[in-house]
Amino acid sequence: MVRDDLYITVPSFFRCPISLDVMKSPVSLCTGVTYDRSSIQRWLDNGNNTCPATMQVLHSKEFVPNRTLQRLIQIWSDSVRNNKTGSAESTPSLEQVQDLIKELQSKTRDGNSNKPISESLSKIVTFARESEENRKFLAKMDGFIVTLLQFLGNASDGACKNIDFLEQVVVVLELVLSKNEDHHKLTNSMLKSDLGCLASLLHVLQQGRTDSRIASVRILETVANDAESKLLIAEKDGLLSEMLKLITPENDPALIEASLRCLIRISITKRVKSKLVHLGTIKTLAKLVSDSSSSVTVTEKVLKLLETMSSCKEGRWEICENRVCVEALVQRVLKVSSATTEHAVTILWSVCYLFRDERAQEAVARANGPTKILLLMQSNCSPSVRQMSADLLKIFRVNSKSCLSSYHTKTTHIMPF
């Protein structure tokens, strides 16, 4: 990449062949050509059945996220952004950081311009990213986190509306917040005083870069430390729906995982669970659990959140209505991890055995669930999983010996010897 003050060369493969813009959500067709999701979706929605670049007839109109290319574009974009702001600077010393923090605190009192504040924050971010010791040092600085919260809460004032400034505040706050021994007290005060911090975090989730979105979600997870704070977060207009957009398969895996962790943490009350269900959480999770490219950690958290949703009536209804979701749960019973096995079996046990939903039972049977559950019982599973599996087999009226005999017979037929 060649760059000067007037011109930035964009790598050609970062551009969508249709729009010629840098791709925001690259996806690949069965032909192997990658397009921006919105552009190719419009092409297909208009009735076309060919690949725009090669004009080959598509035997499938499905596309898969090109996460490798998405990460490369993100790295390139961050590099360009950092070069523009001159962020490639040396790490300031402890004395310089102390002076920078004093300057920040004086500017919050005096209401001065935010341009020098942004420059100071940039240097502090560099310092915080240097080491764990630096982050602890910042967390212990008297009034520093309070100053950051004030910046976050005053987003409606002047240059605080600037997304770049807010991203800097969010990134440094996430780095140091959990290192402060009184962070629970500070964040409770932040939420209950209605300073506008949640509005600022929502703004970053909507318009920020991937790294600052991850930082925002992690801050929300950190501040959700009691029932009241979790409810305040859940009741913030637009916040839950924006977080659900972050867990769609085309997003960065680290962002998906961080968002799932936060959603799991705040979804403890029936009120929050019901709200999540009505926002379409089950359909979104069904797509993720059906995505074979999802990592083990993401799959575990998806199933954990589904298990949480299954503990309320609305959640169970939506799960049972979504046959694809139930069949995907059956597929996750084996060969992923012990955590995914336990979550998947618990959900199936809840909808099929505890609440006897015939739609779920039918979907499990169609996906060859009884055989998989029987095989699970032959494995080294936990006592709780074994008991739930036994309960499920009772529902399907499966004779263990005959089912296992049938399974061995099928495998014998396909063996070359």
Side-chain angles (χ1 to χ4, degrees):
M1 183 185 74
V2 178
R3 176 190 178 275
D4 57 32
D5 291 337
L6 299 177
Y7 185 74
I8 298 173
T9 300
V10 179
S12 59
F13 58 96
F14 286 179
R15 295 185 183 274
C16 173
I18 298 175
S19 68
L20 299 182
D21 294 328
V22 176
M23 290 181 278
K24 296 179 180 179
S25 178
V27 295
S28 299
L29 289 178
C30 58
T31 58
V33 182
T34 299
Y35 303 89
D36 201 18
R37 178 182 292 270
S38 59
S39 297
I40 192 61
Q41 189 65 63
R42 280 194 299 270
W43 170 267
L44 297 174
D45 289 346
N46 286 335
N48 298 294
N49 66 344
T50 57
C51 173
T54 66
M55 296 311 295
Q56 289 178 259
V57 176
L58 299 173
H59 59 78
S60 170
K61 291 187 177 182
E62 294 183 356
F63 42 73
V64 295
N66 190 332
R67 293 204 174 99
T68 299
L69 182 56
Q70 187 174 31
R71 283 193 289 271
L72 289 173
I73 293 173
Q74 184 65 51
I75 292 170
W76 171 82
S77 178
D78 289 345
S79 175
V80 171
R81 195 185 192 102
N82 288 339
N83 285 335
K84 283 183 177 180
T85 57
S87 61
E89 55 190 337
S90 59
T91 304
S93 66
L94 292 179
E95 292 77 12
Q96 289 174 322
V97 168
Q98 288 174 320
D99 291 339
L100 289 170
I101 291 175
K102 289 178 182 178
E103 288 178 16
L104 291 179
Q105 292 171 335
S106 68
K107 291 184 190 331
T108 58
R109 291 191 296 268
D110 301 338
N112 291 337
S113 168
N114 284 308
K115 183 175 180 181
I117 295 179
S118 183
E119 293 173 358
S120 299
L121 277 174
S122 178
K123 294 176 183 179
I124 293 173
V125 168
T126 301
F127 178 81
R129 284 174 169 164
E130 183 79 12
S131 68
E132 179 75 5
E133 289 73 19
N134 287 358
R135 292 189 282 276
K136 290 180 178 179
F137 171 81
L138 289 172
K140 293 178 181 178
M141 284 288 294
D142 186 35
F144 177 55
I145 291 180
V146 172
T147 299
L148 294 176
L149 293 176
Q150 288 174 339
F151 286 142
L152 205 59
N154 294 332
S156 60
D157 297 337
C160 285
K161 290 181 180 179
N162 184 285
I163 185 63
D164 293 331
F165 174 76
L166 281 179
E167 284 183 298
Q168 286 181 319
V169 174
V170 165
V171 168
V172 70
L173 180 61
E174 188 273 324
L175 287 170
V176 303
L177 183 58
S178 62
K179 313 300 177 189
N180 186 285
E181 295 178 356
D182 294 326
H183 73 270
H184 290 316
K185 181 179 178 181
L186 288 170
T187 53
N188 280 339
S189 174
M190 172 194 86
L191 290 173
K192 295 167 187 177
S193 61
D194 191 26
L195 288 173
C197 294
L198 290 180
S200 296
L201 293 173
L202 175 58
H203 186 47
V204 173
L205 291 180
Q206 292 169 330
Q207 298 188 22
R209 303 188 308 273
T210 297
D211 61 336
S212 57
R213 288 179 174 182
I214 292 173
S216 294
V217 171
R218 287 176 177 168
I219 290 172
L220 289 169
E221 182 187 0
T222 300
V223 303
N225 49 59
D226 58 30
E228 185 179 1
S229 60
K230 292 171 184 178
L231 191 59
L232 286 170
I233 292 170
E235 293 297 319
K236 174 63 182 176
D237 287 342
L239 194 51
L240 286 185
S241 58
E242 194 61 39
M243 289 181 66
L244 289 178
K245 294 177 184 178
L246 303 181
I247 63 172
T248 50
E250 63 269 17
N251 281 314
D252 184 273
L255 178 58
I256 294 173
E257 184 178 349
S259 301
L260 286 168
R261 284 173 57 94
C262 185
L263 287 169
I264 290 168
R265 187 170 180 86
I266 64 178
S267 57
I268 58 165
T269 66
K270 181 179 178 181
R271 186 172 170 181
V272 176
K273 293 174 191 175
S274 298
K275 185 171 183 178
L276 282 170
V277 172
H278 291 307
L279 287 171
T281 302
I282 302 301
K283 290 182 180 179
T284 303
L285 294 178
K287 291 179 182 178
L288 274 175
V289 79
S290 303
D291 185 0
S292 59
S293 64
S294 294
S295 67
V296 172
T297 53
V298 166
T299 302
E300 288 176 350
K301 288 172 178 60
V302 169
L303 292 176
K304 173 62 177 175
L305 186 54
L306 267 174
E307 182 183 337
T308 301
M309 296 296 99
S310 71
S311 64
C312 72
K313 182 179 179 180
E314 299 93 332
R316 288 191 297 273
W317 176 266
E318 289 293 329
I319 291 171
C320 296
E321 276 282 291
N322 195 317
R323 180 170 57 84
V324 173
C325 180
V326 178
E327 292 179 354
L329 287 170
V330 173
Q331 301 307 316
R332 297 299 188 178
V333 164
L334 296 170
K335 298 181 180 179
V336 181
S337 70
S338 57
T340 58
T341 294
E342 185 151 357
H343 294 318
V345 171
T346 301
I347 299 167
L348 294 174
W349 178 83
S350 176
V351 297
C352 292
Y353 178 78
L354 194 59
F355 294 95
R356 309 295 174 106
D357 191 286
E358 293 182 358
R359 297 165 301 171
Q361 293 172 4
E362 182 182 346
V364 171
R366 186 185 294 110
N368 200 26
T371 300
K372 291 182 181 294
I373 293 168
L374 181 58
L375 291 174
L376 176 62
M377 290 188 68
Q378 313 302 317
S379 68
N380 188 28
C381 59
S382 67
S384 60
V385 168
R386 191 180 303 279
Q387 181 59 56
M388 287 187 288
S389 299
D391 291 339
L392 284 168
L393 289 178
K394 291 176 185 176
I395 287 294
F396 294 104
R397 300 177 181 177
V398 175
N399 183 292
S400 299
K401 291 184 179 180
S402 63
C403 185
L404 189 58
S405 174
S406 172
Y407 172 76
H408 284 312
T409 301
K410 290 179 182 178
T411 54
T412 301
H413 285 317
I414 64 173
M415 293 290 283
F417 48 90

